[in-house]
Amino acid sequence: MKRKTTVFFGSALTALLLIAVTFTINQLAAFSELLGRLHPYAGYGFLAVASSIIIFALLSGIRFFSTPSHPPLPLNETAKNFSSYVDYLCGTLSAHPMHSEPLRKEKDLRWLRANLKLLEVDSLNATKQIATKNFFVGAFAQNTSYGTTTSLKNILKAVWRTYAIHHRNHHAMEFVALVRSVYACLPLSDFKKNDIPAHIKPIIQSSFSNTLSSLLPGGNLLTPFFMNLFLAGATNTYLTCLAGIIAIRHCQAVSEEDRREIVQQSMFEASFMLKEIVRECNPILSVTISNAVKKAGIESLDTVQSPAVGSNIAQDIVSHLASSLKNIIRENISVEKGSEQ
């Protein structure tokens, strides 16, 4: 079945390519003949310019989609090809401007490790910044097409920022290979139920890192709603942190031994970054929604009409309670704004 599918798509693409080339040549020849009627050399000039543009586009496309050649990843630091791979990384990785010897011609393993450490700091900061945005995307736009699309775009952006920081020259297929490697390491890419608790644990711990009773307004009645927001934001943030850190580990691997430890080390670092982000974002999310809940409460209480002449006692009580609650909510909002200033 696989062989038949490959043959079919291969032959179909070849036929489409042949039709496109024939159509293009036919149209160029027809337009060249039309120009040749105006001037004897106009048609030849047009063909020369059009051919140059097409050839340039093909060459630039091949260069853009090509994967640069690189030596095989050594098994460990004692392997024979380890030195050649270090030379390759020194030549392709970006030299950090804060490096003590950024323009050094003869670069060795010591220079490489110092440079990788500086690039790692920049990549972690970029990942944390993007993951913080994804916390609020997950909290407020969960289970929506906008939220899913934006979260995926931010995760890809985190991987791209890491790739762009580490590599001097950018190649599309090399970035695609990095994205595939990162995806293969993420949870649920290859479902293994035994691995899921290890990924869920930091999300739950981060959501309960702050005392929710002191952060959440409205008491126990709103706690399930807020917990849903916190868990959605923490899940989004964890996946972003994990993707960014896995990309960093792939870009900084100098041997096969480093590759084997990528997932475990990335999970460990992502859990710490997640706790920092949730610790910073939880108070913002709580205060924002608290003010929104109080404002919504005032607006809903405004719909309670004042008792008319001759109304019964129940209507008088409801109107009095609504007025009292509005005053209490307004006083709380003014006190909170004064304390924030």
Side-chain angles (χ1 to χ4, degrees), residues 82-264:
F82 180 75
S83 58
S84 61
Y85 193 80
V86 169
D87 294 337
Y88 162 76
L89 290 179
C90 291
T92 57
L93 291 180
S94 301
H96 198 279
M98 298 299 293
H99 198 287
S100 58
E101 299 173 312
L103 302 178
R104 182 179 177 182
K105 294 183 179 180
E106 297 181 359
K107 303 172 183 178
D108 53 9
L109 182 60
R110 183 183 62 84
W111 184 94
L112 176 64
R113 293 196 182 281
N115 189 55
L116 288 176
K117 184 59 65 176
L118 294 170
L119 296 176
E120 178 184 6
V121 173
D122 289 351
S123 300
L124 288 174
N125 290 334
T127 299
K128 183 178 180 181
Q129 181 183 10
I130 297 172
T132 302
K133 295 180 181 179
N134 252 5
F135 178 86
F136 295 103
V137 172
F140 291 110
Q142 55 179 312
N143 300 326
T144 63
S145 57
Y146 169 79
T148 303
T149 304
T150 306
S151 299
L152 179 60
K153 184 186 72 173
N154 286 335
I155 291 175
L156 291 175
K157 185 178 179 181
V159 179
W160 166 254
R161 290 284 298 275
T162 297
Y163 174 79
I165 288 173
H166 281 79
H167 291 80
R168 186 182 306 168
N169 299 317
H170 304 154
H171 300 273
M173 298 309 297
E174 190 176 33
F175 173 68
V176 170
L178 177 62
V179 172
R180 292 178 61 183
S181 300
V182 171
Y183 174 77
C185 297
L186 289 177
L188 298 182
S189 61
D190 183 13
F191 185 80
K192 297 178 181 178
K193 62 180 182 180
N194 295 330
D195 297 338
I196 301 303
H199 291 287
I200 295 179
K201 181 180 178 180
I203 298 173
I204 301 298
Q205 289 178 338
S206 298
S207 298
F208 287 96
S209 59
N210 293 329
T211 305
L212 293 178
S213 60
S214 63
L215 289 174
L216 303 182
N220 295 329
L221 294 177
L222 289 176
T223 297
F225 169 71
F226 279 84
M227 278 305 306
N228 188 26
L229 296 182
F230 287 135
L231 287 174
T235 303
N236 232 22
T237 303
Y238 176 73
L239 291 175
T240 309
C241 294
L242 189 60
I245 294 174
I246 289 174
I248 294 173
R249 297 294 152 241
H250 273 286
C251 291
Q252 299 210 347
V254 296
S255 66
E256 288 287 352
E257 291 180 342
D258 297 336
R259 286 283 179 91
R260 299 192 190 103
E261 300 175 357
I262 282 180
V263 176
Q264 294 298 327

Side-chain angles (χ1 to χ4, degrees), residues 280-300:
E280 296 171 2
C281 294
N282 268 357
I284 300 174
L285 183 64
S286 302
V287 171
T288 301
I289 300 181
S290 173
N291 293 334
V293 170
K294 291 176 180 178
K295 184 178 179 181
I298 293 178
E299 293 177 352
S300 62

Side-chain angles (χ1 to χ4, degrees), residues 1 15 26 34 41 44 51 73 94 97 122 139 156 167 179 182 273 279 298 300-301 308:
M1 182 64 182
N26 184 42
L34 178 62
Y41 296 104
Y44 296 109
S51 301
L73 193 66
S94 301
D122 289 351
L156 291 175
H167 291 80
V179 172
V182 171
M273 183 179 291
R279 190 181 300 115
I298 293 178
S300 62
L301 290 173

